[in-house]
Amino acid sequence: MQATTLAPRAADMFHQNLEFRAGSALLRFGAARQRTADRISWSGDGAAAWLDDARGHVWSVGEPESAAGLVLRAAHGLPGQVREFTGPRGTDVLTGRHLPVTDAVEWVFRWTLEEPPLQRAEERVTELDESRHEELRAFLHNHSPGHSTGPGSAAVSVWAGIRDADGHLVACGALSSLRDSGAPLMASVATDARLRGQGFGAALTSWLTRYAVRRYGFCTLWQLAENAPAERLYTRLGYRNEDPCVAARIGTR
């Protein structure tokens, strides 16, 4: 995994047909084909990578050894610009043999092309417009302070929620989008902490998935690798589990 010359800006990430292999859904859904000529990207034997230059984030898919080689290639070719990366499980360890790697977190990138089975309480889900953003902010602050996306984000196409008999919000969630491609991405699904286990999260996840599949033909989401309840729910709703990933930062020596 020795660094080599930086690849041309118009490198074709798709010429290996990697996007159709198990473990490469990030390439299939996360990289926008129409912007390939405007993106710095790299291709190797059994791997592809591309740069989100605004974040200094390199995304890579394929075999871990080859993917780690592309992360190193990017980091050496763009010194100081590449600050973090996501790749197949094991990329952090392999990259860490050559560069300081910190804050590694294991994720699964999951996706589905099918509408899920109807869930109990799904009929109670309603869309929430801009007039409900303050209510959503307060709810997320109280019940999911680590949420990934907040009201007002330009990436969100719809917010949805469930209310109790008194009209109080008891669950919410959003359909956002992957930064690079605009692909639909489930985000910020949260349930009132006092009411968890009653199926509200499942109902919202199912509703948002159905919304995305009907409009875009698919839906994606990120799942923490060790979140067993989420693993069971997403599997039940038909989300494929073929893309174990790791995200990490590149430190300074």
Side-chain angles (χ1 to χ4, degrees):
M1 291 191 302
Q2 198 164 6
T4 58
T5 305
L6 186 66
R9 182 176 291 270
D12 181 6
M13 296 181 293
F14 294 91
H15 77 279
Q16 301 180 75
N17 293 321
L18 282 173
E19 70 271 28
F20 298 113
R21 297 187 193 175
S24 294
L26 264 174
L27 181 58
R28 181 180 179 187
F29 299 123
R33 287 176 181 267
Q34 65 270 25
R35 292 181 54 204
T36 299
D38 300 326
R39 180 190 294 107
I40 296 176
S41 61
W42 303 264
S43 293
D45 184 18
W50 63 100
L51 176 67
D52 178 347
D53 52 2
R55 292 176 55 196
H57 192 110
V58 171
W59 298 87
S60 63
V61 300
E63 298 300 324
E65 183 83 17
S66 296
L70 295 181
V71 172
L72 289 170
R73 187 175 174 182
H76 285 293
L78 298 170
Q81 186 173 341
V82 175
R83 298 181 294 275
E84 56 190 36
F85 63 89
T86 295
R89 198 77 51 82
T91 305
D92 56 326
V93 176
L94 294 165
T95 302
R97 295 175 182 173
H98 304 270
L99 292 173
V101 171
T102 65
D103 303 324
V105 178
E106 293 187 344
W107 297 84
V108 182
F109 181 71
R110 304 191 66 159
W111 55 278
T112 183
L113 306 177
E114 306 293 337
E115 291 188 31
L118 191 67
Q119 300 297 299
R120 177 172 57 86
E122 194 174 335
E123 74 283 353
R124 294 175 57 183
V125 178
T126 59
E127 292 188 35
L128 302 174
D129 61 23
E130 291 185 9
S131 68
R132 303 300 180 184
H133 280 188
E134 287 305 316
E135 182 184 18
L136 281 165
R137 286 189 186 95
F139 184 85
L140 288 167
H141 175 76
N142 290 330
H143 300 290
S144 183
H147 58 277
S148 59
T149 300
S153 169
V156 172
S157 58
V158 65
W159 281 95
I162 297 175
R163 298 185 181 279
D164 64 15
D166 297 320
H168 299 124
L169 198 63
V170 295
C172 72
L175 190 66
S176 185
S177 60
L178 288 168
R179 178 186 175 96
D180 199 32
S181 66
L185 176 74
M186 187 90 58
S188 298
V189 175
T191 301
D192 187 315
R194 299 162 297 183
L195 300 173
R196 288 172 186 164
Q198 297 187 30
F200 296 140
L204 266 166
T205 301
S206 180
W207 189 94
L208 289 165
T209 301
R210 198 178 315 283
Y211 183 100
V213 170
R214 288 180 178 179
R215 284 159 181 76
Y216 307 105
F218 65 101
C219 191
T220 70
L221 57 82
W222 286 100
Q223 175 207 317
L224 274 171
E226 296 182 358
N227 189 335
E231 162 74 23
R232 291 191 294 269
L233 171 61
Y234 299 146
T235 298
R236 189 171 85 237
L237 296 182
Y239 278 87
R240 297 177 69 159
N241 183 355
E242 301 169 350
D243 297 75
C245 302
V246 62
R249 298 183 185 277
I250 296 176
T252 56
R253 294 190 185 277

